[in-house]
Amino acid sequence: MHQVRSPHAGPHVAITALMHGNEYAGAIVLADLLRLGFAPRQGTLSLIFLNLEAFSRFSPTNPIRSRFMDEDMNRLWGNVHGNLSRPSSEERRVRQLLPYIETVDRLLDLHSMLWPADPLILAGPSQKGIDLAVRTGTPALVIADSGHSAGPRLIDLPHFTRPDSPACACLLEGGQHWSYACLETTRKTVSSFLAISEKDRKATEPHPPQIIAEVTHRVTAQTGLFTFTQSFHGGDIIATRGTLIATDGNDEIRTPYDNCLLVMPNFRTARHHTAVRLARVQSMPT
């Protein structure tokens, strides 16, 4: 964790990377900021590399293995104070970081995706998260959602979602793992996010028109036989209600309304894991 302070009062802004040890585009961008000696004009900037243990065992021959050491860190940001006996590397790291994270006013968590999909910002369950994503301005797709049944993400922390707290957070899914396009998207989003603090307004660079959509259904695989009907792309919009998009054993998964947006379909879904999220578009570019 690296902290840079300005002599001028201002917000505590944080950017986190390596929540998953094989998603290193964000880490490259944070390392570049450190090499350049970037310092905020006001307030405090924290650059946090979350799961260094998982990253330390990254291998190009088995890149999925380094996603985590013991369990997915981004399902542990809940009541960690109540499970003192859990022998997890990720749980210990969350406990170490949580008191500091809860001093942050504005946070951007950097991720990438296994399957081809349009870059997006996950705004979490609060209007504050949506507002932060819109102010950041890029990528063009903003998704409001309530996370995963397996556990809360960093952006789901009550510190960031409580109505009585001014703190806010959002999560970038910059594109497909290990791609140059993902790295460039991550750089652009970080630059725009920092510009909010530096100028207290959107970056002067024009942003693409944004689509805002709200997740209405989280489809969880109930069997080990979950199969999509075709190779959908994250961000695809299915025009017609009732369209068959997948089967889960004997169950059919169909779109619940017209113009249903598919969020991050997972083509290697394990039982009880999220297979896809279905979102209703709230606003489109005019």
Side-chain angles (χ1 to χ4, degrees):
M1 182 175 70
H2 301 261
Q3 184 184 91
V4 186
R5 292 181 181 271
S6 165
H8 305 290
H12 181 184
V13 174
I15 308 176
T16 54
L18 291 179
M19 179 77 76
H20 301 121
N22 62 339
E23 299 178 18
Y24 54 74
I28 292 172
V29 174
L30 297 197
D32 286 346
L33 289 173
L34 291 170
R35 289 190 194 97
L36 291 170
F38 179 87
R41 296 179 184 175
Q42 58 178 340
T44 300
L45 173 66
S46 294
L47 306 177
I48 306 173
F49 300 85
L50 293 167
N51 199 342
L52 291 169
E53 285 194 59
F55 178 63
S56 70
R57 69 175 185 178
F58 179 83
S59 170
T61 61
N62 188 4
I64 305 302
R65 177 174 174 265
S66 60
R67 179 174 170 83
F68 52 76
M69 295 294 292
D70 301 313
E71 59 181 326
D72 190 336
M73 181 184 280
N74 213 24
R75 305 293 182 268
L76 300 177
W77 299 90
N79 184 24
V80 296
H81 305 291
N83 295 316
L84 299 177
S85 62
R86 181 183 292 186
S88 157
S89 168
E90 282 76 17
E91 174 103 3
R92 290 192 297 271
R93 182 65 167 154
V94 168
R95 290 184 196 282
Q96 182 185 47
L97 291 172
L98 186 58
Y100 189 79
I101 292 289
E102 290 181 331
T103 70
V104 171
D105 298 305
R106 192 158 52 239
L107 180 140
L108 175 64
D109 187 24
L110 304 176
H111 290 254
S112 56
M113 298 178 273
L114 178 60
W115 303 104
D118 295 338
L120 57 88
I121 293 188
L122 291 171
S126 70
Q127 183 61 44
K128 294 185 295 178
I130 297 173
D131 293 343
L132 177 60
V134 170
R135 289 181 70 196
T136 301
T138 182
L141 181 57
V142 175
I143 303 293
D145 73 327
S146 57
H148 300 271
S149 58
R153 304 162 299 187
L154 174 55
I155 64 170
D156 300 325
L157 267 177
H159 174 71
F160 296 121
T161 59
R162 286 196 324 266
D164 62 337
S165 168
C168 54
C170 57
L171 184 160
L172 170 69
E173 293 284 2
Q176 195 169 18
H177 297 332
W178 322 310
S179 67
Y180 186 74
C182 177
L183 178 59
E184 287 302 291
T185 295
T186 303
R187 283 186 174 132
K188 185 175 181 180
T189 303
V190 166
S191 176
S192 184
F193 176 77
L194 289 173
I196 297 173
S197 299
E198 295 300 284
K199 303 172 185 178
D200 200 29
R201 62 183 174 86
K202 289 184 179 179
T204 54
E205 180 182 344
H207 296 303
Q210 286 179 299
I211 298 171
I212 301 175
E214 181 180 5
V215 170
T216 59
H217 297 71
R218 184 179 59 228
V219 180
T220 302
Q222 302 301 315
T223 73
L225 301 174
F226 193 101
T227 306
F228 287 96
T229 58
Q230 64 185 76
S231 297
F232 293 108
H233 185 89
D236 283 349
I237 295 178
I238 309 302
T240 306
R241 174 183 178 181
T243 299
L244 180 68
I245 59 170
T247 56
D248 189 5
N250 294 323
D251 294 333
E252 295 184 341
I253 311 300
R254 295 181 178 271
T255 52
Y257 37 76
D258 291 345
N259 298 320
C260 179
L261 190 146
L262 305 186
V263 180
M264 296 175 62
N266 180 357
F267 294 96
R268 293 176 60 185
T269 305
R271 188 181 180 194
H272 302 315
H273 286 209
T274 301
V276 65
R277 283 163 278 185
L278 309 179
R280 190 191 301 272
V281 176
Q282 302 294 318
S283 66
M284 291 282 287
T286 56

